[in-house]
Amino acid sequence: MSRKVDAALSVLKAALKPGRRAAALVRFAAGCAEILQPRRSVAEKNLEIVFPGISKERKAHLIKECYESLAWTGAELFGWQDNPELINEWTVEVEGRQHIDNALKLGRGVLFLTAHIGNWEHAAAWIGRNYGSYGIAQHNKSPFQKELISRLRASSGLKVIGKEEPMTRIVSVLKKNGLVGIVSDQHAGGDGVQIPLFGKAVSTAQGLAVFSWLTKAPIIPGRSIRLAPYRFKMQFLPPIAWEKLAAREETLYDISRKANKVIEKWVLDTPGQWLWLHKRFKEAADYK
């Protein structure tokens, strides 16, 4: 398998080396997406929930931006593989880094809340490059894709913990004052709890809340905003404030609700950079 991954990496890194060829391939990929329209109906349903009364033209524009953002995310990920220093070089602004540094001074570890917005791979890579962090990820069922993605992410220094691994491993990282990143904007299926997002109760994973409740690790929201291709702004917010309520379930609900509120603000701030293709609102939308 490694030989196949080596070959794929070699071809893709060469093709997506930052420059005119990579830009042309991104335009081609985004153009193909507009023609083939993968999950377009899902994106339209999501947009109608988040922006009631949205016009047909506005929907088309945001879906086009979504396809372009996704294409650039892949190109940028391959673009720094031979030179991970580009992760920092392409980061032209860092806002709120003191929130991470101050949280680490507490010695309880840090939970990094992020979402599929901007270039989430860059957000994880920047954290990995600068803090040697861990990221929780759902491994692909394909051995080839699993190895390829793992190696792409490892180039930055990010260490990946699979969702299927014991929860105790994450707790151990936090107790050693490590940093663990969690992408928290996907539908959680039957394992989640119904929590509002844009006014709709949707299944939301509570792992972030559980780990903070167990370890007292601060939750720092952060994202990578694409200012232009290969130009990013890392933005970190103050820790999500919470306190223990009468029941454990109430506390976890409150933390998760506040996390969803952060994601709402991000989506409204840069709607063209959110991945609208997820079936996030399964309880409210008639996805086909």
Side-chain angles (χ1 to χ4, degrees), residues 69-146:
S69 182
L70 182 58
W72 274 115
T73 294
E76 290 156 349
L77 173 59
F78 280 98
W80 68 63
Q81 291 302 309
D82 284 334
N83 183 12
E85 283 299 318
L86 292 173
I87 295 166
N88 283 332
E89 290 181 21
W90 293 347
T91 307
V92 298
E93 183 180 354
V94 179
E95 176 186 315
R97 183 170 184 169
Q98 72 274 13
H99 299 308
I100 292 183
D101 295 336
N102 291 338
L104 286 171
K105 290 176 183 177
L106 299 175
R108 299 196 292 264
V110 172
L111 287 159
F112 174 57
L113 161 66
T114 192
H116 290 94
I117 195 162
N119 188 329
W120 57 91
E121 293 290 353
H122 174 262
W126 191 93
I127 288 288
R129 188 76 179 158
N130 291 278
Y131 291 93
S133 62
Y134 290 77
I136 299 176
Q138 179 70 56
H139 288 309
N140 198 288
K141 292 181 180 179
S142 162
F144 172 81
Q145 293 186 34
K146 177 182 177 181

